[in-house]
Amino acid sequence: MSPGMDPSVFDPPGISGAGVGLNWARGLMGLSGRVLRPAFEPEGRIVRVVGLALEASGLKAAIGDQCRIFLDAEPLAATRWVDAEVVGFAGQNTYLMPLEAVRGLAPGCWVKNLGAAVRVPLGDALLGRVLDARGQPLDGGAPLSGEVPVDLQGRGNNPLRRRPIREPLDVGIRAINALLTVGQGQRMGIFAGSGVGKSVLLGMMTRYTTAEVIVVGLIGERGREVREFVAEILDESARARAVVIAAPADASPLMRLHGANLATAIAEYFRDRGQQVLLLMDSLTRYAQAQREIGLAIGEPPATKGYPPSVFARLPALVERAGNGESARGSMTAFYTVLVEGDDQNDPIADAARAILDGHIVLSRAIAERGRYPAIDIEASISRLAPALVSPAQLDMIHRFKQLMSTYNQSRDLLAVGAYRRGQDQRLDRAIEVQPDLEAFLQQSLHEQASLDESVDALEALMHQGV
């Protein structure tokens, strides 16, 4: 190497770092300037592959560091590589998880540590775009510029400095606005089995909410559903103020984790700018399953129905990033869908999510089979902050509405077989009389908008009809 030459010129594409160029220069350049195989390699080599986990020897990296695995024999001439992330270590060996499908991996493949920084574009240019978990466009549009380092894990929040939740958020759905009022900065769960209308409910929120920015994270869903959500459920006005992050089911577990974290990081960015943000994540269960795949692959013992302990540590770390910040105006209201496997509300992920969220909306398969959408089970749903957001009069109407629904549903079997005669129970007689009106109140089509004020007025009119 010539005296005074900058060693960084020998860094391969996408690789940089103090001292890296010098090491490469010493090992790669002969007197003739011909590229040689490195004589000294401070990086690592792939020595073992077990399931989804890759094991590297000699790699100096911290958990969360981004690495590049070169698949060709000569690293500088490499045209094929795969990116991975450090997820654990044992002794002198490091565990990696690839960010994409791995083909052509062989023993001894060279691994280079790229550092911990993840760079994605932040700013108004994100609005209207559909991106993957690494911030790359999926919509065929122009690449985004102005990339800045983003911490996908977020930063800690002092709970005593967060602004209290005092203002309701209009989500455009009558049953939620009137009976399960959600505040700006609240975290809600949507609990449902497969095929009962979670995606449609989220689509209605994107269309009709008054939030200034909408961030949608489609995590672990079918690729067909991603296209349908973007092309059919989102309308033009909603798409113009929305950012969609898609990490479908065929993405690697790390990409699914990164997709959820990136969606949250983008929502944090707009919240910290003082804007009202609505974060919709579908689904929290797929996020937990991705972490389960990673934990089991690196040898973590299963604890509850196959879920390792790291899953139950990851969930609150993700959810607690949502909510109000320390600024005077910005807010991040979040809805997380939770796939209830086998319609079991005591599923480990559903049970853990209920404990860390500020309320839950339960979608019932039985209600969906009766043809009422959205299929919200009002009796099983609750907004924990509603008493602080609504007037005492509205709170009383909510209680009366739920009591009427409960009275009717408890006697549904008796009514079906004709075992009840009118006049035996005055409360049941009243519930039977108003049941069609209650069902009509809860029914709402995808193309119907119900503002917060209209929803409350409709509830008041219904409760004053002798109910």
Side-chain angles (χ1 to χ4, degrees):
M1 183 173 63
S2 302
M5 183 176 291
D6 183 2
S8 66
V9 299
F10 298 101
D11 290 353
I15 300 177
S16 62
V20 174
L22 181 60
N23 290 327
W24 272 77
R26 288 173 178 168
L28 298 176
M29 299 300 295
L31 294 177
S32 64
R34 185 169 59 90
V35 176
L36 305 175
R37 189 169 183 80
F40 173 62
E41 295 172 347
E43 288 74 28
R45 297 280 179 171
I46 295 296
V47 296
R48 188 167 178 254
V49 177
V50 180
L52 299 175
L54 313 178
E55 192 171 339
S57 176
L59 179 66
K60 297 180 180 179
I63 291 178
D65 280 358
Q66 307 297 301
C67 298
R68 180 158 292 174
I69 305 171
F70 291 89
L71 305 179
D72 295 301
E74 294 292 343
L76 278 190
T79 59
R80 300 180 304 138
W81 61 74
V82 62
D83 289 333
E85 183 176 306
V86 178
V87 295
F89 55 85
Q92 298 300 315
N93 288 355
T94 302
Y95 293 117
L96 304 169
M97 190 70 63
L99 294 173
E100 52 198 291
V102 179
R103 296 180 180 88
L105 186 68
C109 282
W110 184 72
V111 185
K112 170 65 185 173
N113 184 8
L114 302 180
V118 176
R119 293 180 177 271
V120 294
L122 292 177
D124 291 334
L126 288 172
L127 300 177
R129 302 303 301 270
V130 182
L131 311 175
D132 68 9
R134 286 187 281 186
Q136 301 301 314
L138 292 175
D139 52 12
L144 296 166
S145 59
E147 296 184 352
V148 296
V150 173
D151 184 2
L152 294 184
Q153 303 304 320
R155 63 180 187 274
N157 292 291
N158 186 338
L160 296 181
R161 299 182 64 180
R162 283 189 161 189
R163 194 176 75 256
I165 300 173
R166 293 291 181 265
E167 297 294 329
L169 177 69
D170 186 353
V171 296
I173 300 173
R174 184 165 47 246
I176 298 177
N177 280 340
L179 301 172
L180 303 167
T181 308
V182 176
Q184 297 177 17
Q186 188 169 348
R187 290 82 55 92
M188 292 285 287
I190 300 176
F191 292 70
S194 57
V196 294
K198 298 187 301 296
S199 298
V200 174
L201 186 64
L202 295 181
M204 293 175 68
M205 292 184 189
T206 61
R207 288 188 175 198
Y208 305 132
T209 182
T210 57
E212 299 168 306
V213 177
I214 305 163
V215 181
V216 182
L218 301 176
I219 311 301
E221 296 301 312
R222 293 181 288 271
R224 174 187 60 80
E225 290 186 337
V226 173
R227 179 177 177 83
E228 288 179 356
F229 188 93
V230 173
E232 300 176 12
I233 296 180
L234 278 177
D235 61 9
E236 291 297 329
S237 62
R239 192 177 298 115
R241 54 179 172 149
V243 185
V244 179
I245 306 298
D250 60 345
S252 70
L254 265 180
M255 287 289 279
R256 280 175 266 153
L257 288 185
H258 285 182
N261 288 323
L262 177 58
T264 306
I266 292 173
E268 287 174 324
Y269 167 78
F270 286 107
R271 176 195 64 188
D272 294 342
R273 291 206 322 183
Q275 295 177 280
Q276 291 183 21
V277 182
L278 177 62
L279 172 64
L280 306 174
M281 191 168 296
D282 186 14
S283 70
L284 195 64
T285 303
R286 303 301 187 197
Y287 175 85
Q289 290 173 347
Q291 177 59 31
R292 176 174 63 181
E293 293 177 40
I294 294 172
L296 295 179
I298 63 176
E300 191 178 358
T304 306
K305 291 190 176 180
Y307 288 99
S310 62
V311 171
F312 302 100
R314 285 267 192 176
L315 289 177
L318 178 70
V319 170
E320 282 298 321
R321 294 169 62 185
N324 288 339
E326 299 177 7
S327 61
R329 183 175 179 273
S331 67
M332 187 206 307
T333 308
F335 284 83
Y336 301 93
T337 67
V338 180
L339 181 62
V340 182
E341 297 183 3
D343 294 331
D344 180 12
Q345 295 293 331
N346 294 318
D347 175 83
I349 301 303
D351 196 47
R354 268 194 303 268
I356 58 179
L357 294 170
D358 301 323
H360 51 271
I361 299 170
V362 178
L363 302 185
S364 167
R365 188 176 303 277
I367 293 175
E369 290 172 350
R370 295 204 302 266
R372 193 246 285 169
Y373 291 96
I376 299 175
D377 186 345
I378 292 297
E379 298 174 68
S381 305
I382 188 171
S383 171
R384 295 178 181 175
L385 296 179
L389 298 171
V390 304
S391 65
Q394 182 181 345
L395 191 61
D396 179 66
M397 290 187 290
I398 293 172
H399 291 161
R400 290 164 55 198
F401 189 103
K402 288 189 172 184
Q403 287 171 356
L404 289 168
M405 290 291 296
S406 177
T407 300
Y408 180 85
N409 289 330
Q410 288 175 3
S411 304
R412 184 182 293 273
D413 292 340
L414 292 176
L415 298 174
V417 299
Y420 175 76
R421 295 182 180 179
R422 294 181 65 88
Q424 295 178 340
D425 187 332
Q426 185 177 2
R427 292 187 306 167
L428 181 55
D429 290 342
R430 185 177 303 173
I432 295 171
E433 181 181 352
V434 301
Q435 183 63 22
D437 295 329
L438 301 181
E439 289 287 337
F441 180 86
L442 298 174
Q443 178 86 27
Q444 185 174 339
S445 71
L446 174 63
H447 303 287
E448 177 188 357
Q449 179 178 2
S451 69
L452 180 62
D453 292 338
E454 292 172 348
S455 302
V456 175
D457 290 343
L459 176 64
E460 184 177 2
L462 177 62
M463 292 294 101
H464 287 170
Q465 291 179 359
V467 177

